[in-house]
């Protein structure tokens, strides 16, 4: 293939960039061999370029209800109606209670919940999640309102909350539309659990003063101060305590009683579940009745015998566009990241959890669209930031919800409450609402059994968990979020940077029934079984830190050949550590090829000064060491490499070549599955050249015998195409069924020596070495199966697995591979 000057070459010359050393694959193209073409920039652009089908899929994902709405039926309708109404009975008192947490009037909680239930179903990928006012988000909003009003007392609390919701909704909607939902994966479970636990403790502590009727307690202070001040104020307890404590006791008693009855009468378990679910409704109705009896002649809520909710206006009294002037945006700008983070954490964590429980998968990006759209439009009806509710989602799931459309029935119930029941809300005791909040957030606290599981799984993350909880208690919930997320990110980077690599040895693996090897069974019986059973070569860590049996024999792969497996990828963070370990180990277990390379003591480098004066340099131990022959890198855990890692590999190759001079060290790569990684390695000079291929005697076309290069080993396997049963000669245009890009007219032929692959349990016979005259001929195994290369024959040092790489490396040291039991010396 003649080299031609291209526009790219001219641009490189103009910029002073050296011309690429192009690999001449002409022989492979001409004889129809299967080769790998490197991916190009055009390939990358083709991968990310929008297509018509991709655009249609994107639009379909934006409105997932299209996939199920046309299958809606009466059974689904009944399930959704029951679940929606059940949640509606719970959300009405909860919404008003959470609005008080947000320093807002109680109707704002109903506005927020109404919009969430009304809009979410059209964008939902979760049938269980419920969007609306929640305790944690309400507390965050309340803190933001309090902080903003310190500097801007003229700002209305409702305006602050609505503007905050609008801006956060716009950001979340944008992230969802560009499909950035993956960002939620950077928030681990431990960070979420710490955030939820710290928030629950802070919220519950702040509600105790309302529960007990203790005046003059600032619940917006740090949690530990709130607890101390509440304890100091206990002597000032009012009549509210009788209402609050009895309500809290009633909530827990009803739940306990229903749980016990459900266990005692399994056939009635569903009925007892609904009774337990509606316990908040029962308590609120009961205490509204008690409050009415006590305060029925009271018109001013301040004159009631205990604190009551007061007037709740009917309908949507705060509708309109949110305030978006520069002064308002500047006031809330510092709190936007925290709000977005809380909205993400609560919603995605809950929806993913219930998706796993109920056997469906959510789309995080689409969920961002859903909560973004809800928060973007909610402020126009008076809503403040809304996200997923854990307690209501659990109720909805257990109530038998069938589709996201159940939210419509809840929205109708909330709307009915807004227009028909607001006069009744006047008598709700504040202490009863506080009891509901404490009861609801109690379930958010991570139980000790879960923390113990964290300890068994990852002790370091338990430290992060408690750090997040303590920071939330002693500073603020917002700081607790940042600490846990930042600490988790730091641990992730630390694990990547310190990921351990392993030097591997080989051992023979047999399989046998477990009972045969328990308790020191008869050795002769065991040996008899092992002689009949199949076995294969496995590669395990030489330092035995993988808990393998100390009695298991693990031998080094071959003198002068080292197999190294990366732990968690190879990148600029950990490449220096991995390659330093590789260098130290290789130098410790090998010697220079030229033992007397430095004739004078002064010629030796400072970091290799040799023995002290009077001591022998060539010791028996040093002479017995092998020379460095090959490095095999197991890339099964490496998806891609960056420039730093590639440069580090090149530097190490040059260092080892100087160490092994005049020999060249071969580099083999196993398990490289990413074609862009192959491109990076090829660009760095790996995978394409053989320095010590064995020579064989062959006859040329004139009949003369001459020594020719056999070429490196490559792996082959049987073709899956039924039409390729018979061998296809060169030039017929036959092709394998391998889905790889190849030049036009190229077939599945092989070149050089072939390592046989065994598929479907068949015994594929040994494949003869192809000569230069018939390099493109396809080999056939037993049973008429056509054998084709696994990877392109122009990249012979990229192997399918470590065993194949080791055979190739050993062969090039003057060893022949006779069978599948491993290499043996010629």
């Amino acid at each position: 293939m003649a080299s031609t000057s291209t526009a790219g070459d001219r641009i490189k010359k103009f910029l002073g960039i050296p011309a690429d050393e192009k690999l001449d694959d002409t022989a492979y193209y001409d004889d129809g061999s299967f080769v790998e073409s490197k991916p190009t920039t055009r390939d990358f652009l083709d991968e990310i370029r929008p297509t018509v089908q991709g655009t249609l899929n994107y639009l379909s994902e934006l409105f997932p209800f299209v996939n199920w709405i046309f299958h809606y039926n009466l059974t689904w309708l009944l399930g959704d109606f029951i679940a929606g109404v059940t949640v509606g009975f719970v959300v009405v008192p909860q919404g008003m209670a959470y609005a008080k947490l947000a320093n807002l009037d109680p109707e704002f909680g109903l506005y927020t919940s109404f919009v969430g239930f009304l809009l979410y179903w059209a964008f939902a990928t979760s049938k269980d999640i419920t969007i609306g006012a929640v305790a944690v988000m309400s507390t965050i909003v309340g803190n933001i309102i309090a902080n903003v009003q310190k500097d801007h007392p003229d700002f209305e609390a409702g305006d602050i909350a609505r503007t905050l919701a609008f801006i956060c909704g716009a950001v979340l909607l944008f992230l969802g539309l560009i499909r950035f939902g993956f960002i939620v994966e950077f928030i681990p479970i431990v960070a979420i659990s710490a955030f939820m636990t710290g928030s629950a403790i802070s919220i519950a502590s702040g509600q105790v003063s309302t529960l007990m009727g203790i005046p003059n307690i600032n619940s917006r202070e740090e949690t530990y101060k709130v607890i101390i001040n509440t304890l100091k104020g206990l002597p000032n307890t009012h009549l509210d305590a009788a209402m609050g404590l009895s309500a809290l006791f009633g909530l827990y008693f009803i739940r306990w009683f229903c749980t016990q009855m459900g266990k005692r009468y399994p056939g009635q378990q569903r009925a007892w579940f609904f009774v337990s679910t509606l316990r908040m409704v029962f308590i609120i109705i009961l205490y509204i009745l008690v409050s009415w009896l006590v305060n029925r002649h009271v018109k001013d809520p301040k004159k009631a015998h205990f604190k009551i909710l007061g007037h709740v206006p009917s309908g949507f009294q705060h509708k309109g566009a949110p305030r978006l002037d520069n002064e308002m945006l500047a006031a809330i700008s510092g709190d936007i990241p925290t709000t977005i983070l809380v909205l993400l954490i609560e919603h995605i964590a809950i929806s993913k959890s219930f998706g796993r429980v109920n056997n469906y998968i959510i789309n995080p990006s689409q969920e961002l669209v859903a909560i973004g759209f809800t928060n973007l439009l909610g402020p126009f009806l008076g809503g403040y930031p809304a996200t997923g509710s854990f307690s209501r989602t659990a109720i909805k799931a257990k109530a038998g919800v069938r589709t996201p459309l159940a939210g419509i029935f809840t929205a109708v119930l909330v709307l009915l409450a807004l227009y028909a029941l607001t006069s009744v809300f006047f008598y709700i005791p504040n202490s009863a609402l506080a009891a509901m909040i404490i009861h609801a957030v109690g379930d958010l606290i991570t139980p000790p059994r879960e923390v113990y599981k964290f300890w068994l799984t990852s002790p370091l993350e338990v430290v992060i968990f408690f750090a997040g909880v303590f920071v939330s208690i002693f500073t603020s919930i917002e700081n607790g979020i940042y600490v846990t997320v930042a600490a988790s990110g730091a641990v992730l980077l630390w694990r990547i940077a310190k990921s351990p690599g392993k030097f591997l040895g080989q051992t023979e693996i047999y399989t046998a029934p477990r009972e045969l090897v328990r308790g020191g069974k008869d050795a002769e019986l065991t040996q008899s079984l092992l002689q009949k059973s199949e076995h294969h070569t496995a590669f395990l860590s030489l330092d035995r830190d993988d808990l393998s049996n100390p009695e298991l024999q693990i031998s080094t792969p071959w003198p002068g050949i080292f197999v190294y497996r990366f732990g968690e990828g190879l990148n600029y963070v950990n490449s220096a550590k991995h390659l330093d370990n590789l260098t130290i180990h290789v130098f410790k277990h090998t010697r220079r090829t030229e033992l007397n390379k430095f004739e004078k003591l002064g010629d030796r480098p400072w970091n290799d000064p040799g023995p002290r004066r009077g001591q022998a340099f060539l010791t028996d131990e040093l002479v017995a060491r092998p020379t460095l022959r090959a490095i095999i890198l197991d890339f099964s855990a490496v998806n891609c490499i960056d420039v730093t890692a590639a440069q580090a590999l090149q530097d190490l190759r040059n260092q080892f070549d100087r160490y092994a001079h005049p020999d060249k060290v071969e580099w083999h790569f196993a398990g490289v599955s990413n074609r862009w990684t192959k491109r990076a390695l090829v660009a760095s000079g790996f995978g394409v050249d053989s320095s010590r291929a064995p020579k064989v005697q062959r006859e040329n076309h004139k009949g003369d015998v001459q020594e020719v290069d056999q070429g490196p080993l490559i792996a082959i396997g049987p073709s899956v195409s039924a039409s390729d049963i018979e061998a296809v000669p060169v030039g017929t245009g036959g092709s394998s069924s391998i889905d790889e890009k190849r030049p036009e007219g190229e077939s599945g032929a092989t070149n050089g020596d072939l390592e046989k692959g065994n598929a479907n349990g068949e015994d594929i016979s040994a494949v003869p070495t192809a000569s230069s005259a018939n390099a493109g001929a396809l080999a056939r195994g037993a049973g008429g199966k056509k054998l084709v290369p696994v990877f392109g024959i122009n990249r012979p040092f990229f192997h399918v697995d470590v065993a194949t790489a080791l055979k190739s490396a050993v062969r090039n040291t003057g060893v022949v591979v006779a069978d599948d039991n491993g290499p043996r010396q010629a």
Side-chain angles (χ1 to χ4, degrees), residues 121-303:
W121 69 272
F123 306 96
T125 60
S126 169
K127 70 179 179 66
D128 300 300
I129 196 77
T130 64
I131 292 183
V134 297
V136 178
M137 190 69 255
S138 298
T139 302
I140 298 292
V141 172
N143 294 339
I144 294 173
I145 291 174
N147 294 332
V148 171
Q149 287 185 330
K150 287 180 182 179
D151 300 326
H152 304 276
D154 57 319
F155 284 4
E156 294 290 337
D159 290 339
I160 298 172
R162 292 165 61 205
T163 303
L164 183 67
F166 182 84
I167 299 300
C168 293
V171 174
L172 291 171
L173 180 60
F174 172 74
L175 293 176
L177 291 175
I178 64 175
R179 289 332 202 204
F180 258 47
F182 67 88
I183 62 175
V184 301
E185 306 301 335
F186 290 96
I187 305 174
I189 291 178
V190 169
I192 296 173
S193 299
F195 161 68
M196 290 295 188
T197 301
S199 300
I201 295 174
S202 298
I203 294 169
S205 302
Q207 291 301 303
V208 172
S209 59
T210 305
L211 182 82
M212 304 291 291
I214 303 174
N216 303 321
I217 300 296
N218 182 8
S219 60
R220 301 295 171 182
E221 289 186 309
E222 292 83 355
T223 302
Y224 78 97
K225 292 182 179 179
V226 174
I227 295 174
I228 293 173
N229 293 334
T230 301
L231 292 175
K232 289 181 179 179
L234 285 178
N236 301 322
T237 299
H238 287 77
L239 182 61
D240 303 70
M243 303 291 288
L245 289 175
S246 59
L248 185 62
F249 172 79
L251 289 169
Y252 279 106
F253 177 78
I254 293 174
R255 184 171 72 174
W256 172 83
F257 179 78
C258 292
T259 302
Q260 296 301 316
M261 295 301 290
K263 293 179 180 178
R264 178 173 296 184
Y265 303 103
Q268 303 174 6
Q269 190 170 16
R270 185 171 177 81
W272 288 111
F273 159 75
F274 281 107
V275 173
S276 177
T277 297
L278 298 176
R279 62 187 180 276
M280 292 186 182
V281 180
F282 299 151
I283 292 295
I284 285 296
I285 293 176
L286 174 63
Y287 282 84
I288 288 176
L289 179 60
V290 173
S291 178
W292 178 79
L293 292 173
V294 175
N295 301 302
R296 62 183 180 276
H297 300 300
V298 172
K299 302 300 180 182
D300 185 357
K302 294 182 180 179
K303 297 181 180 180

Side-chain angles (χ1 to χ4, degrees), residues 788-806:
V788 296
V790 177
F791 296 123
I793 64 174
N794 58 329
R795 304 288 186 261
F797 290 90
F798 294 130
H799 303 280
V800 66
D801 55 22
V802 174
T804 305
L806 179 59

